[in-house]
Amino acid sequence: MNRRVLATFLAGFLFSVGLGVAGMTQPAKVVGFLDVTGNWDPSLAFVMMGAIAVHFIAYRVVPRMGSPLLAERFGIPTRRDVDLRLVSGAVLFGAGWGLGGFCPGPALVSVTGGARSAIIFVGAMMGGMLLFQLVDSLRAARHQRSASRLAADT
Amino acid sequence: MLEIPVENFTPITASIGGALIGLSASMMLLLNGRIAGISGIIGGGLKLPAGDLAWRLAFVLGLLAGGGALVAFYPETFAVNIDRSTGALVVAGLLVGFGTRLGNGCTSGHGVCGLSRLSPRSLVATITFMSAGAAMAAVVTHAFGGSI
């Protein structure tokens, strides 16, 4: 098997076990963390701190290597601007996270546990992603049309 | 006064799990050169033509295989102990799917990878989705008695 594919599989496996050990797969824990007005459970802040503590170090070292070990080049996001899409996307995502208690990774992992709620959630999440793609491509097509109309007018 | 329910507070397993997530994201960066943002990995795979389909699929299969290992050795981590109707789950899933694509990331891509590289976009996104999540969770607790 391709070493890059195998390495990515192992990274996914490790990520999944991390989510499970951390308790991210338990919607009650997620909601208990998000709802600061109830019986607040700060555990999930420790998940984020643990992950960042490790990954922050990797970012100080790895990108200086020039290229990753099993791929040709790095594909790290470089945008630094904050726009309306970013903020409105985060608002929608956060609302769904607080409503269902699942974010994308833990939801996928929970499907293996067979919970009906995780299966319904993941199905709808895929639907939401496809819906975004549809809306986004329609929007791009409209932009293109109005741009070419503008060019024809002038 | 703020009371933390001691029986639910699990800082040690949370930190260990978090460190494993950080290790996985670091593996992705070192070996594959990509960030471990789940919504981006799935969403990018749903696009036609899909870029780098092989590794995206491999990551998702790894997530599912890890889920299988958890089922075998730590099944209690799949306890779904909140009360949500099918309708609420569908709305939540749609919001998460649409929102993560519109905002270019979720808890992993912005919250872990983005904050680790001190990205201002990810900081704004993380503060925003945490606040929106807190607001929604509070509404469900207080206006719907915790079950919706």
Side-chain angles (χ1 to χ4, degrees):
Chain A
M1 201 202 296
N2 180 325
R3 285 200 301 165
R4 181 184 181 191
V5 168
L6 181 64
T8 314
F9 173 85
L10 292 175
F13 187 92
L14 191 62
F15 202 101
S16 181
V17 171
L19 287 173
V21 170
M24 292 290 292
T25 46
Q26 297 168 49
K29 254 190 128 42
V30 173
V31 171
F33 168 70
L34 288 174
D35 184 9
V36 290
T37 66
N39 276 335
W40 191 48
D41 174 5
S43 306
L44 297 196
F46 287 76
V47 181
M48 197 168 255
M49 286 190 288
I52 292 174
V54 173
H55 200 38
F56 177 82
I57 298 168
Y59 263 115
R60 302 280 84 68
V61 182
V62 175
R64 288 181 196 169
M65 294 169 30
S67 69
L69 297 181
L70 302 177
E72 276 175 38
R73 62 185 77 86
F74 288 108
I76 302 169
T78 50
R79 283 180 65 180
R80 297 178 72 81
D81 61 305
V82 173
D83 60 359
L84 187 63
R85 280 171 74 115
L86 178 83
V87 175
S88 44
V91 167
L92 296 179
F93 161 47
W97 190 30
L99 179 60
F102 282 123
C103 55
L108 265 184
V109 174
S110 297
V111 165
T112 59
R116 190 179 151 273
S117 57
I119 296 167
I120 295 170
F121 180 92
V122 167
M125 181 178 85
M126 298 291 193
M129 287 182 171
L130 289 170
L131 185 67
F132 169 76
Q133 240 154 260
L134 182 70
V135 171
D136 200 42
S137 59
L138 288 177
R139 214 181 74 112
R142 204 177 54 224
H143 266 268
Q144 211 161 25
R145 267 204 310 278
S146 59
S148 56
R149 208 166 33 234
L150 207 63
D153 285 346
T154 47
Chain B
M1 210 189 106
L2 193 68
E3 276 183 48
I4 294 173
V6 180
E7 71 276 19
N8 294 334
F9 182 46
T10 52
I12 295 172
T13 49
S15 305
I16 294 171
L20 294 177
I21 293 167
L23 208 58
S24 158
S26 304
M27 251 178 94
M28 274 290 275
L29 186 67
L30 175 68
L31 301 172
N32 194 26
R34 305 298 290 252
I35 66 161
I38 310 281
S39 59
I41 290 175
I42 305 171
L46 292 175
K47 250 189 218 163
L48 290 173
D52 316 310
L53 192 60
W55 71 261
R56 289 174 194 277
L57 200 61
F59 190 87
V60 171
L61 288 176
L63 281 180
L64 297 177
L70 289 166
V71 169
F73 297 106
Y74 189 32
E76 55 273 34
T77 198
F78 291 115
V80 177
N81 27 22
I82 58 171
D83 188 18
R84 295 291 182 271
S85 64
T86 301
L89 288 166
V90 169
V91 171
L94 285 170
L95 285 170
V96 169
F98 194 93
T100 51
R101 295 307 287 152
L102 180 63
N104 293 108
C106 59
T107 346
S108 51
H110 282 310
V112 174
C113 300
L115 291 190
S116 294
R117 60 167 201 279
L118 310 177
S119 154
R121 267 173 75 78
S122 292
L123 180 64
V124 170
T126 305
I127 291 171
T128 306
F129 66 65
M130 290 266 184
S131 310
M136 183 56 99
V139 166
V140 173
T141 304
H142 297 289
F144 296 90
S147 112
I148 183 170

